[in-house]
Amino acid sequence: MEPATSQVWIIIVVLGICTYLIRLSFMGLIGDRPLPEWLLRMLRYTPVAVLPAVVAPMLLGSGAHSGDALRIGAALATLVVGLTTRNVLWAIATGFGLFFGIGALLG
Amino acid sequence: MASLNTSQFKRGIFDGLPFHLVLVPFGAIFGVIATEAGLNLVQVMGFTVLVIAGAAQLTALQLMLDNAPTLVVIVTALAVNLRMAMYSASLVPHLGPAPFWMRALAAYFLFDQPYALSSIAFEKEPSRTAIEKVSYFLGVGIPLAISWYVATLAGALLGERIPAQMGVDFAVPLTFIAVVAPMMRTVAHVATALTSVVLVIALSFMPYGSGLLVAALIALFVGAQVELWVEKRKARS
């Protein structure tokens, strides 16, 4: 069933405003007031804590493609190249090359 | 009024280039799926411009198709976006001193790719000023946002002529891995990432979005504790 127009717009506008406020939250309110040392220490680990939590369910969770050997292989290769070269571009190129290259070969 | 730093803005544009390859197919897919779900062109574009968060947009769309109540759609999609509060907090030490209008502008572009690239860049060169950092951040974010709009529009217009099963959904996890791997500089970073992965899988029974937040928060704490522990050991020896 297609969603009603008013429902769609309510969802879009409320989601848009609230998402913006989430993004502005700390950045907008705190400004240049100093943060405590323990908090800064934790915040330094934010990308390393959040991004793997976003990725892991896509690869190992219950989704349609999780557990797929080609995907996990390409992901591992990306990880290894990223760890050894410390270069984002090489890591992306390796992963994409493997995934789409082998994917095309297998048809 | 303070103005942006042009050279940092350009560096941001340059560093963001490879990420267009990821966002374009993802945006196009959203355009296709949203159109097929019965949204008109204005709604599809309104969605993309106002929310500008791929995973949350797809989540909301899926729930709308399942006829979920409006409130459930909104709350679930917001839970997916709550990680951005952590991004916002972690950028405070870098962007905090910049004028409010710059931070307000940057907040709109605070999605995964500009955040990830900026946190790498700011860690490498912490001596950049807040204005330089905002400029770099916007240099990454603005062109990527434009790509995202154009890709969504193309997807909405071309509709089913774009095959939805090209495997482009895999582009997102792949780029995140590529971004995170070079960040593994210390034992603390590795411990944080491992904790995050193990917990998010263990907590996958929790309603969408909440398991991720609990896993990430505990992982942050583990990272900080390991760092303290390593420092203490070094001090003793």
Side-chain angles (χ1 to χ4, degrees):
Chain A
M1 199 181 93
E2 294 187 0
T5 311
S6 61
Q7 192 210 1
V8 173
W9 277 115
I10 290 172
I11 290 172
I12 291 173
V13 172
V14 174
L15 204 53
I17 293 171
C18 294
T19 300
Y20 179 73
L21 292 177
I22 290 175
R23 289 171 162 144
L24 184 65
S25 58
F26 292 92
M27 228 200 267
L29 289 176
I30 301 174
D32 56 355
R33 270 165 283 186
L35 294 173
E37 182 57 35
W38 62 267
L39 186 59
L40 287 175
R41 191 190 300 276
M42 282 182 43
L43 290 178
R44 274 201 291 275
Y45 293 94
T46 313
V48 198
V50 179
L51 295 175
V54 175
V55 171
M58 294 179 178
L59 288 170
L60 310 168
S62 55
H65 297 288
S66 56
D68 177 54
L70 177 58
R71 282 167 190 245
I72 291 180
L76 280 178
T78 307
L79 182 65
V80 170
V81 172
L83 286 172
T84 47
T85 64
R86 307 264 148 191
N87 185 310
V88 178
L89 278 184
W90 281 119
I92 290 183
T94 308
F96 273 61
L98 272 180
F99 181 68
F100 290 107
I102 297 180
L105 283 179
L106 296 177
Chain B
M1 194 152 96
S3 60
L4 295 170
N5 177 302
T6 317
S7 69
Q8 286 294 326
F9 190 82
K10 284 182 188 158
R11 276 181 72 178
I13 295 175
F14 181 78
D15 287 356
L17 286 179
F19 291 86
H20 291 266
L21 289 177
V22 179
L23 282 191
V24 166
F26 196 37
I29 293 280
F30 176 77
V32 173
I33 299 176
T35 311
E36 281 172 1
L39 269 62
N40 64 41
L41 194 61
V42 184
Q43 289 172 332
V44 177
M45 293 317 293
F47 217 142
T48 278
V49 172
L50 288 177
V51 182
I52 187 163
Q57 286 174 228
L58 285 173
T59 306
L61 199 59
Q62 188 58 53
L63 289 167
M64 283 156 74
L65 285 174
D66 295 344
N67 285 316
T70 304
L71 189 66
V72 173
V73 176
I74 293 171
V75 170
T76 312
L78 283 178
V80 176
N81 281 345
L82 262 185
R83 69 182 183 284
M84 293 164 182
M86 287 197 244
Y87 294 168
S88 187
S90 90
L91 286 179
V92 167
H94 301 292
L95 307 186
F100 181 78
W101 71 269
M102 283 189 189
R103 284 181 276 138
L105 184 64
Y108 173 76
F109 297 98
L110 189 51
F111 43 95
D112 296 304
Q113 289 80 5
Y115 172 70
L117 278 182
S118 299
S119 48
I120 296 176
F122 300 165
E123 227 177 271
K124 268 187 194 159
E125 290 175 41
S127 59
R128 292 184 211 185
T129 67
I131 301 275
E132 286 172 341
K133 286 174 175 171
V134 172
S135 307
Y136 178 87
F137 182 88
L138 291 173
V140 178
I142 293 173
L144 283 174
I146 294 170
S147 263
W148 178 248
Y149 306 153
V150 173
T152 308
L153 184 64
L157 291 175
L158 296 174
E160 59 267 36
R161 265 176 283 176
I162 296 180
Q165 283 310 321
M166 284 189 314
V168 285
D169 53 311
F170 187 54
V172 176
L174 209 59
T175 39
F176 284 0
I177 295 171
V179 163
V180 169
M183 292 182 181
M184 298 293 149
R185 288 179 297 101
T186 65
V187 182
H189 289 87
V190 176
T192 308
L194 285 179
T195 308
S196 156
V197 168
V198 170
L199 283 181
V200 81
I201 298 295
L203 298 176
S204 58
F205 63 89
M206 291 177 70
Y208 201 71
S210 54
L212 184 153
L213 289 176
V214 175
L217 278 173
I218 296 177
L220 281 184
F221 183 74
V222 168
Q225 287 307 306
V226 172
E227 184 189 310
L228 277 176
W229 178 74
V230 171
E231 273 176 12
K232 266 186 205 155
R233 272 192 52 162
K234 268 189 198 151
R236 253 186 264 137
S237 62

